[in-house]
PDB file of all heavy atoms in Angstrom:
ATOM      1  N   ALA A 280      -1.596  -4.295  -2.178  1.00 90.00           N
ATOM      2  CA  ALA A 280      -1.226  -2.891  -2.302  1.00 90.00           C
ATOM      3  C   ALA A 280       0.147  -2.623  -2.840  1.00 90.00           C
ATOM      4  O   ALA A 280       0.334  -1.799  -3.838  1.00 90.00           O
ATOM      5  CB  ALA A 280      -1.405  -2.094  -0.917  1.00 90.00           C
ATOM      6  N   LEU A 281       1.088  -3.391  -2.322  1.00 92.00           N
ATOM      7  CA  LEU A 281       2.493  -3.359  -2.922  1.00 92.00           C
ATOM      8  C   LEU A 281       2.520  -3.703  -4.444  1.00 92.00           C
ATOM      9  O   LEU A 281       3.144  -3.053  -5.229  1.00 92.00           O
ATOM     10  CB  LEU A 281       3.354  -4.143  -2.068  1.00 92.00           C
ATOM     11  CG  LEU A 281       3.712  -3.562  -0.670  1.00 92.00           C
ATOM     12  CD1 LEU A 281       4.455  -4.662   0.160  1.00 92.00           C
ATOM     13  CD2 LEU A 281       4.444  -2.312  -0.701  1.00 92.00           C
ATOM     14  N   GLY A 282       1.812  -4.671  -4.736  1.00 93.00           N
ATOM     15  CA  GLY A 282       1.671  -4.983  -6.110  1.00 93.00           C
ATOM     16  C   GLY A 282       1.072  -3.961  -7.006  1.00 93.00           C
ATOM     17  O   GLY A 282       1.514  -3.664  -8.120  1.00 93.00           O
ATOM     18  N   MET A 283       0.050  -3.304  -6.545  1.00 92.00           N
ATOM     19  CA  MET A 283      -0.622  -2.201  -7.354  1.00 92.00           C
ATOM     20  C   MET A 283       0.298  -1.026  -7.417  1.00 92.00           C
ATOM     21  O   MET A 283       0.462  -0.469  -8.554  1.00 92.00           O
ATOM     22  CB  MET A 283      -1.857  -1.732  -6.498  1.00 92.00           C
ATOM     23  CG  MET A 283      -3.052  -2.821  -6.589  1.00 92.00           C
ATOM     24  SD  MET A 283      -4.385  -2.460  -5.450  1.00 92.00           S
ATOM     25  CE  MET A 283      -5.035  -0.945  -6.074  1.00 92.00           C
ATOM     26  N   LEU A 284       1.044  -0.683  -6.321  1.00 90.00           N
ATOM     27  CA  LEU A 284       1.953   0.395  -6.317  1.00 90.00           C
ATOM     28  C   LEU A 284       3.192   0.067  -7.301  1.00 90.00           C
ATOM     29  O   LEU A 284       3.676   0.992  -7.958  1.00 90.00           O
ATOM     30  CB  LEU A 284       2.381   0.699  -4.946  1.00 90.00           C
ATOM     31  CG  LEU A 284       1.305   1.377  -4.037  1.00 90.00           C
ATOM     32  CD1 LEU A 284       1.750   1.287  -2.600  1.00 90.00           C
ATOM     33  CD2 LEU A 284       1.038   2.778  -4.424  1.00 90.00           C
ATOM     34  N   GLY A 285       3.508  -1.144  -7.352  1.00 88.00           N
ATOM     35  CA  GLY A 285       4.674  -1.532  -8.188  1.00 88.00           C
ATOM     36  C   GLY A 285       4.332  -1.435  -9.652  1.00 88.00           C
ATOM     37  O   GLY A 285       5.192  -1.137 -10.537  1.00 88.00           O
ATOM     38  N   MET A 286       3.077  -1.738 -10.015  1.00 89.00           N
ATOM     39  CA  MET A 286       2.543  -1.704 -11.398  1.00 89.00           C
ATOM     40  C   MET A 286       2.217  -0.233 -11.876  1.00 89.00           C
ATOM     41  O   MET A 286       2.309  -0.006 -13.057  1.00 89.00           O
ATOM     42  CB  MET A 286       1.391  -2.574 -11.567  1.00 89.00           C
ATOM     43  CG  MET A 286       1.753  -4.085 -11.428  1.00 89.00           C
ATOM     44  SD  MET A 286       0.297  -5.071 -11.539  1.00 89.00           S
ATOM     45  CE  MET A 286      -0.228  -4.788 -13.082  1.00 89.00           C
ATOM     46  N   ASP A 287       1.912   0.576 -10.931  1.00 87.00           N
ATOM     47  CA  ASP A 287       1.538   2.001 -11.398  1.00 87.00           C
ATOM     48  C   ASP A 287       2.086   2.963 -10.400  1.00 87.00           C
ATOM     49  O   ASP A 287       1.534   3.157  -9.236  1.00 87.00           O
ATOM     50  CB  ASP A 287      -0.008   2.082 -11.348  1.00 87.00           C
ATOM     51  CG  ASP A 287      -0.434   3.465 -11.712  1.00 87.00           C
ATOM     52  OD1 ASP A 287       0.361   4.398 -12.048  1.00 87.00           O
ATOM     53  OD2 ASP A 287      -1.665   3.678 -11.828  1.00 87.00           O
ATOM     54  N   PRO A 288       3.263   3.632 -10.621  1.00 82.00           N
ATOM     55  CA  PRO A 288       3.902   4.460  -9.765  1.00 82.00           C
ATOM     56  C   PRO A 288       3.331   5.909  -9.662  1.00 82.00           C
ATOM     57  O   PRO A 288       3.806   6.771  -9.023  1.00 82.00           O
ATOM     58  CB  PRO A 288       5.294   4.569 -10.370  1.00 82.00           C
ATOM     59  CG  PRO A 288       5.189   4.312 -11.789  1.00 82.00           C
ATOM     60  CD  PRO A 288       3.988   3.344 -11.877  1.00 82.00           C
ATOM     61  N   SER A 289       2.099   6.109 -10.207  1.00 88.00           N
ATOM     62  CA  SER A 289       1.547   7.386 -10.301  1.00 88.00           C
ATOM     63  C   SER A 289       0.571   7.774  -9.108  1.00 88.00           C
ATOM     64  O   SER A 289      -0.110   8.787  -9.179  1.00 88.00           O
ATOM     65  CB  SER A 289       0.698   7.652 -11.666  1.00 88.00           C
ATOM     66  OG  SER A 289      -0.433   6.804 -11.514  1.00 88.00           O
ATOM     67  N   TYR A 290       0.554   6.842  -8.137  1.00 92.00           N
ATOM     68  CA  TYR A 290      -0.293   7.057  -6.960  1.00 92.00           C
ATOM     69  C   TYR A 290       0.206   8.401  -6.160  1.00 92.00           C
ATOM     70  O   TYR A 290       1.417   8.669  -6.138  1.00 92.00           O
ATOM     71  CB  TYR A 290      -0.336   6.035  -5.975  1.00 92.00           C
ATOM     72  CG  TYR A 290      -1.149   4.793  -6.425  1.00 92.00           C
ATOM     73  CD1 TYR A 290      -0.499   3.696  -7.211  1.00 92.00           C
ATOM     74  CD2 TYR A 290      -2.515   4.769  -6.359  1.00 92.00           C
ATOM     75  CE1 TYR A 290      -1.227   2.718  -7.642  1.00 92.00           C
ATOM     76  CE2 TYR A 290      -3.273   3.740  -6.878  1.00 92.00           C
ATOM     77  CZ  TYR A 290      -2.672   2.763  -7.510  1.00 92.00           C
ATOM     78  OH  TYR A 290      -3.416   1.620  -8.039  1.00 92.00           O
ATOM     79  N   SER A 291      -0.822   9.274  -5.664  1.00 93.00           N
ATOM     80  CA  SER A 291      -0.430  10.482  -5.132  1.00 93.00           C
ATOM     81  C   SER A 291      -0.359  10.298  -3.545  1.00 93.00           C
ATOM     82  O   SER A 291       0.185  11.193  -2.786  1.00 93.00           O
ATOM     83  CB  SER A 291      -1.422  11.466  -5.419  1.00 93.00           C
ATOM     84  OG  SER A 291      -1.389  11.706  -6.710  1.00 93.00           O
ATOM     85  N   LEU A 292      -1.093   9.323  -2.946  1.00 94.00           N
ATOM     86  CA  LEU A 292      -1.122   9.084  -1.502  1.00 94.00           C
ATOM     87  C   LEU A 292      -1.643   7.671  -1.247  1.00 94.00           C
ATOM     88  O   LEU A 292      -2.358   7.066  -1.992  1.00 94.00           O
ATOM     89  CB  LEU A 292      -2.363   9.966  -1.020  1.00 94.00           C
ATOM     90  CG  LEU A 292      -2.669   9.827   0.531  1.00 94.00           C
ATOM     91  CD1 LEU A 292      -1.668  10.200   1.426  1.00 94.00           C
ATOM     92  CD2 LEU A 292      -3.980  10.681   0.761  1.00 94.00           C
ATOM     93  N   VAL A 293      -1.100   7.053  -0.107  1.00 94.00           N
ATOM     94  CA  VAL A 293      -1.394   5.783   0.469  1.00 94.00           C
ATOM     95  C   VAL A 293      -2.095   6.039   1.720  1.00 94.00           C
ATOM     96  O   VAL A 293      -1.380   6.652   2.570  1.00 94.00           O
ATOM     97  CB  VAL A 293      -0.308   4.897   0.499  1.00 94.00           C
ATOM     98  CG1 VAL A 293      -0.687   3.560   1.232  1.00 94.00           C
ATOM     99  CG2 VAL A 293       0.329   4.479  -0.847  1.00 94.00           C
ATOM    100  N   ILE A 294      -3.324   5.598   1.925  1.00 93.00           N
ATOM    101  CA  ILE A 294      -3.905   5.514   3.272  1.00 93.00           C
ATOM    102  C   ILE A 294      -3.762   4.102   3.884  1.00 93.00           C
ATOM    103  O   ILE A 294      -4.409   3.252   3.198  1.00 93.00           O
ATOM    104  CB  ILE A 294      -5.415   5.995   3.125  1.00 93.00           C
ATOM    105  CG1 ILE A 294      -5.404   7.411   2.647  1.00 93.00           C
ATOM    106  CG2 ILE A 294      -6.101   6.028   4.635  1.00 93.00           C
ATOM    107  CD1 ILE A 294      -6.774   8.050   2.253  1.00 93.00           C
ATOM    108  N   LEU A 295      -3.213   3.975   4.928  1.00 91.00           N
ATOM    109  CA  LEU A 295      -2.709   2.635   5.270  1.00 91.00           C
ATOM    110  C   LEU A 295      -3.227   2.179   6.764  1.00 91.00           C
ATOM    111  O   LEU A 295      -2.911   3.022   7.623  1.00 91.00           O
ATOM    112  CB  LEU A 295      -1.150   2.675   5.346  1.00 91.00           C
ATOM    113  CG  LEU A 295      -0.358   1.412   5.678  1.00 91.00           C
ATOM    114  CD1 LEU A 295      -0.652   0.389   4.675  1.00 91.00           C
ATOM    115  CD2 LEU A 295       1.134   1.750   5.587  1.00 91.00           C
ATOM    116  N   ASP A 296      -3.912   1.209   6.705  1.00 89.00           N
ATOM    117  CA  ASP A 296      -4.291   0.538   7.996  1.00 89.00           C
ATOM    118  C   ASP A 296      -3.125  -0.289   8.477  1.00 89.00           C
ATOM    119  O   ASP A 296      -2.367  -0.833   7.718  1.00 89.00           O
ATOM    120  CB  ASP A 296      -5.545  -0.359   7.856  1.00 89.00           C
ATOM    121  CG  ASP A 296      -6.115  -0.971   9.086  1.00 89.00           C
ATOM    122  OD1 ASP A 296      -5.764  -0.472  10.254  1.00 89.00           O
ATOM    123  OD2 ASP A 296      -6.829  -1.909   8.922  1.00 89.00           O
ATOM    124  N   LEU A 297      -2.966  -0.358   9.806  1.00 87.00           N
ATOM    125  CA  LEU A 297      -1.964  -1.212  10.345  1.00 87.00           C
ATOM    126  C   LEU A 297      -2.192  -2.657  10.392  1.00 87.00           C
ATOM    127  O   LEU A 297      -1.275  -3.422  10.234  1.00 87.00           O
ATOM    128  CB  LEU A 297      -1.444  -0.645  11.712  1.00 87.00           C
ATOM    129  CG  LEU A 297      -0.903   0.713  11.856  1.00 87.00           C
ATOM    130  CD1 LEU A 297      -0.641   1.089  13.291  1.00 87.00           C
ATOM    131  CD2 LEU A 297       0.426   0.792  10.976  1.00 87.00           C
ATOM    132  N   ALA A 298      -3.355  -3.056  10.735  1.00 84.00           N
ATOM    133  CA  ALA A 298      -3.771  -4.463  10.998  1.00 84.00           C
ATOM    134  C   ALA A 298      -4.296  -5.012   9.590  1.00 84.00           C
ATOM    135  O   ALA A 298      -5.444  -5.081   9.270  1.00 84.00           O
ATOM    136  CB  ALA A 298      -5.004  -4.471  11.892  1.00 84.00           C
ATOM    137  N   LEU A 299      -3.303  -5.328   8.771  1.00 84.00           N
ATOM    138  CA  LEU A 299      -3.611  -5.915   7.539  1.00 84.00           C
ATOM    139  C   LEU A 299      -3.280  -7.433   7.435  1.00 84.00           C
ATOM    140  O   LEU A 299      -2.237  -7.881   8.209  1.00 84.00           O
ATOM    141  CB  LEU A 299      -2.803  -5.324   6.298  1.00 84.00           C
ATOM    142  CG  LEU A 299      -3.177  -3.847   6.005  1.00 84.00           C
ATOM    143  CD1 LEU A 299      -2.141  -3.316   5.091  1.00 84.00           C
ATOM    144  CD2 LEU A 299      -4.552  -3.752   5.478  1.00 84.00           C
ATOM    145  N   PRO A 300      -3.886  -8.226   6.707  1.00 85.00           N
ATOM    146  CA  PRO A 300      -3.465  -9.626   6.634  1.00 85.00           C
ATOM    147  C   PRO A 300      -2.204  -9.782   5.793  1.00 85.00           C
ATOM    148  O   PRO A 300      -1.974  -8.858   4.956  1.00 85.00           O
ATOM    149  CB  PRO A 300      -4.612 -10.343   5.909  1.00 85.00           C
ATOM    150  CG  PRO A 300      -5.358  -9.222   5.231  1.00 85.00           C
ATOM    151  CD  PRO A 300      -5.158  -8.050   5.943  1.00 85.00           C
ATOM    152  N   GLY A 301      -1.360 -10.685   6.019  1.00 88.00           N
ATOM    153  CA  GLY A 301      -0.096 -10.873   5.385  1.00 88.00           C
ATOM    154  C   GLY A 301       0.961  -9.808   5.860  1.00 88.00           C
ATOM    155  O   GLY A 301       1.124  -9.624   7.104  1.00 88.00           O
ATOM    156  N   ILE A 302       1.374  -8.979   5.032  1.00 91.00           N
ATOM    157  CA  ILE A 302       2.294  -7.832   5.379  1.00 91.00           C
ATOM    158  C   ILE A 302       1.577  -6.927   6.140  1.00 91.00           C
ATOM    159  O   ILE A 302       0.592  -6.325   5.690  1.00 91.00           O
ATOM    160  CB  ILE A 302       3.008  -7.259   4.108  1.00 91.00           C
ATOM    161  CG1 ILE A 302       3.763  -8.300   3.243  1.00 91.00           C
ATOM    162  CG2 ILE A 302       3.924  -6.170   4.542  1.00 91.00           C
ATOM    163  CD1 ILE A 302       4.305  -7.803   1.972  1.00 91.00           C
ATOM    164  N   SER A 303       2.003  -6.617   7.307  1.00 89.00           N
ATOM    165  CA  SER A 303       1.292  -5.499   8.180  1.00 89.00           C
ATOM    166  C   SER A 303       1.446  -4.220   7.505  1.00 89.00           C
ATOM    167  O   SER A 303       2.324  -3.907   6.724  1.00 89.00           O
ATOM    168  CB  SER A 303       1.861  -5.578   9.565  1.00 89.00           C
ATOM    169  OG  SER A 303       3.215  -5.047   9.494  1.00 89.00           O
ATOM    170  N   GLY A 304       0.591  -3.160   8.095  1.00 89.00           N
ATOM    171  CA  GLY A 304       0.798  -1.882   7.609  1.00 89.00           C
ATOM    172  C   GLY A 304       2.109  -1.285   7.857  1.00 89.00           C
ATOM    173  O   GLY A 304       2.686  -0.618   6.989  1.00 89.00           O
ATOM    174  N   SER A 305       2.668  -1.518   9.027  1.00 91.00           N
ATOM    175  CA  SER A 305       4.085  -1.071   9.289  1.00 91.00           C
ATOM    176  C   SER A 305       5.161  -1.662   8.324  1.00 91.00           C
ATOM    177  O   SER A 305       6.084  -1.014   7.875  1.00 91.00           O
ATOM    178  CB  SER A 305       4.385  -1.190  10.778  1.00 91.00           C
ATOM    179  OG  SER A 305       4.391  -2.536  11.063  1.00 91.00           O
ATOM    180  N   GLY A 306       4.815  -2.939   8.034  1.00 94.00           N
ATOM    181  CA  GLY A 306       5.792  -3.518   6.971  1.00 94.00           C
ATOM    182  C   GLY A 306       5.597  -2.925   5.639  1.00 94.00           C
ATOM    183  O   GLY A 306       6.597  -2.768   4.938  1.00 94.00           O
ATOM    184  N   VAL A 307       4.407  -2.609   5.172  1.00 94.00           N
ATOM    185  CA  VAL A 307       4.139  -1.969   3.931  1.00 94.00           C
ATOM    186  C   VAL A 307       4.898  -0.599   4.021  1.00 94.00           C
ATOM    187  O   VAL A 307       5.573  -0.175   2.963  1.00 94.00           O
ATOM    188  CB  VAL A 307       2.640  -1.776   3.652  1.00 94.00           C
ATOM    189  CG1 VAL A 307       2.508  -0.809   2.477  1.00 94.00           C
ATOM    190  CG2 VAL A 307       2.016  -3.072   3.384  1.00 94.00           C
TER     191      VAL A 307
END
């Protein structure tokens, strides 16, 4: 997700789960 957001800053909203592999949702 962070990679996608870094490549395209035009997103209008992020819907974020907390229990993600790697970087947690709170970390994101």
